[in-house]
Structure formats: structure tokens, C-alpha cells
Amino acid sequence: MENECLVRARSHEQKLKRRNDILVAAEALYLEGDGQLPSAAEVAKKASLAKGTLYLYFSSKEALFLEVLRGFLKGWFENNLEVIEQEALRRPEERDSARVAQQFVQYLVKRKQFLHLASLSQGVLEQGTDDEAVLSHRRFISSMVKRTADALSELYAITPENANKLMRTSYALVIGMWQMSQIPERVAELMRQNALDNLIIDFSVATEEAVVSYWRVLAPGMKCREFLRQMEEQNRA
């Protein structure tokens, strides 16, 4: 009997499932590896498909992993919106923007394997991807950043423009801190032996400090809008 995976997908549902199978296989191989992107042949084998079938769904290996990255970012943005929603349930005087920043960062720190993929997005993944897929990816990020920024500006006394900048730069800080923390063990040992260990950073600690500090600089004393409204009413009374 012919293997079902080798039969050409014909219906829309079959094609969606096959595309998802490829994404699942690519992500699994990436997480199992040492940071190197698996080959298209390896992904196809993992998904029990012919290599040529993979290219019916993705124009290149880079386009495939850009989509894997997009799935990760979708999870992060959805987490951020949930964090903001939970913060909105607190009493106005108990809402803390630093706690929101910390939870944004913690999601990325706990999934830091994806940060290598994120660091490849502009220099490798987008360079090897067709224009349509690149624009789709960029529009997705723009849309999700806007949604998060709008949610922040509804909760706190910060403009949507500054909230947008807050999100963009916070993400860049995380990626930069991750890259700085990726020191080969041989080099790290040389640094320790030569009193240069102050340049070795603890990724999770340093990243949280950097992002929270940035929030305080860009929007010092970022207060809950509802709390400010209540204070204004009390002052008028």
C-alpha cells in the first residue's frame, strides 16, 4: 500500500495539514540540533515526504524557517497580550509596568533556542526568501507590535507611538543580549584566566535588567491610566 505521506495532497485541508507537518518537522529538527539550520532534505525525511514536495509549500529552506520563527513570535505576542490583559484585572494602584516588562522578557528567556533563529532573520532567512514571504512576515510583525502597543497605551499613560518604540527596542535588546552571551567556552575560560570575566554576562539576569531599565527611561513612572484618572478625581473633590 502506498504511504499516505507520499500521496499528493489535493484538498485544501490536506494541503494545510501537509504544510503544518513540514513546519512541525522543521521546528523539531531545529530544537534537536546545535543551532544549525537542518537541510531541506532532513526536514523532508522527518516529515516523511520527498524533498521536492517541500518546495511545493516553501520557496526555500530559509522561507521555511522564517515561518518557524513567525510561529514562535506569534506565541510571544499572544503571551504579551495575555500578560497585559491579566495586568488590567488588577486594582489600578497595583498595576506595575515593570512586572509586565519582566514577563515579556521571561517568555523569550525560557525559549532562548529560538533567539538564534531570530538573530538570523534579517541576514540569512530574509535574504534567502522570496519578496512576498518577506513582506508577509514583516507585515505580521508590524501588526502584532501595533496590537501590543495599543493594548499598553490603553492601560498605561503612554502614547501608542512610544509604546510601539518600547516593544521594538525591547525585542532588539533581548536579541543583542543573547548574542553577547554566546561566548565559546574556550574564549570564556581565557577571559576568566585573564580577569576579563566582567565581560561574561548572565543572559537572563542582564536581559531583564536592560529591558526594565529601558522601560523606565522611555516612560518614567509609567502609570496606569485608570489610577491617574482616579487621582485627578480625588484632587478635584
Side-chain angles (χ1 to χ4, degrees):
M1 182 177 179
E2 191 175 13
N3 189 315
E4 182 181 356
C5 290
L6 298 180
V7 177
R8 184 170 182 176
R10 298 189 181 279
S11 72
H12 180 64
E13 291 74 16
Q14 287 175 330
K15 290 177 180 177
L16 285 178
K17 181 182 183 303
R18 183 147 298 175
R19 189 175 191 278
N20 185 66
D21 289 344
I22 294 170
L23 286 168
V24 169
E27 180 175 324
L29 283 172
Y30 173 74
L31 292 176
E32 291 168 6
D34 57 359
Q36 298 296 316
L37 295 184
S39 67
E42 289 171 324
V43 174
K45 182 178 179 181
K46 180 79 170 178
S48 300
L49 299 170
K51 180 180 176 181
T53 302
L54 186 147
Y55 292 113
L56 296 175
Y57 296 88
F58 299 93
S59 61
S60 65
K61 179 181 75 171
E62 290 78 13
L64 167 59
F65 282 97
L66 192 64
E67 188 72 14
V68 171
L69 175 61
R70 178 171 169 170
F72 163 69
L73 291 175
K74 183 174 184 291
W76 181 55
F77 282 119
E78 288 176 346
N79 170 77
N80 294 346
L81 291 170
E82 184 176 338
V83 167
I84 294 170
E85 183 178 336
Q86 291 299 314
E87 195 69 15
L89 297 176
R90 297 178 183 272
R91 291 165 58 88
E93 64 273 16
E94 294 175 349
R95 294 171 189 166
D96 183 357
S97 58
R99 177 170 51 236
V100 173
Q102 289 168 344
Q103 291 184 68
F104 281 12
V105 170
Q106 286 168 7
Y107 184 93
L108 296 174
V109 168
K110 290 176 182 177
R111 296 160 180 81
K112 59 186 177 182
Q113 287 168 291
F114 284 100
L115 297 181
H116 173 65
L117 200 57
S119 72
L120 295 176
S121 62
Q122 297 183 78
V124 176
L125 301 184
E126 289 185 340
Q127 289 295 323
T129 303
D130 60 278
D131 291 352
E132 183 178 350
V134 170
L135 284 174
S136 175
H137 180 68
R138 289 287 181 158
R139 285 168 178 153
F140 161 76
I141 293 176
S142 177
S143 172
M144 294 305 296
V145 167
K146 184 180 184 304
R147 283 183 61 192
T148 309
D150 288 347
L152 282 172
S153 65
E154 286 180 10
L155 185 61
Y156 296 108
I158 183 173
T159 66
E161 293 75 18
N162 274 347
N164 195 294
K165 181 179 179 181
L166 199 65
M167 290 303 304
R168 296 195 316 267
T169 307
S170 296
Y171 180 64
L173 280 171
V174 173
I175 299 300
M177 284 293 184
W178 179 83
Q179 291 175 325
M180 286 182 63
S181 70
Q182 300 306 292
I183 302 174
E185 184 52 41
R186 180 183 68 84
V187 177
E189 185 57 33
L190 283 172
M191 292 167 70
R192 294 187 192 99
Q193 293 172 0
N194 291 274
L196 295 171
D197 49 310
N198 62 311
L199 298 178
I200 302 174
I201 68 170
D202 182 311
F203 170 65
S204 59
V205 173
T207 302
E208 186 172 306
E209 288 177 350
V211 173
V212 171
S213 296
Y214 176 69
W215 280 49
R216 288 174 176 157
V217 169
L218 185 67
M222 193 164 79
K223 301 295 184 183
C224 167
R225 286 191 184 278
E226 179 65 17
F227 181 59
L228 292 176
R229 184 188 64 78
Q230 291 178 5
M231 293 297 293
E232 289 174 359
E233 290 179 351
Q234 290 176 10
N235 291 334
R236 287 197 299 265

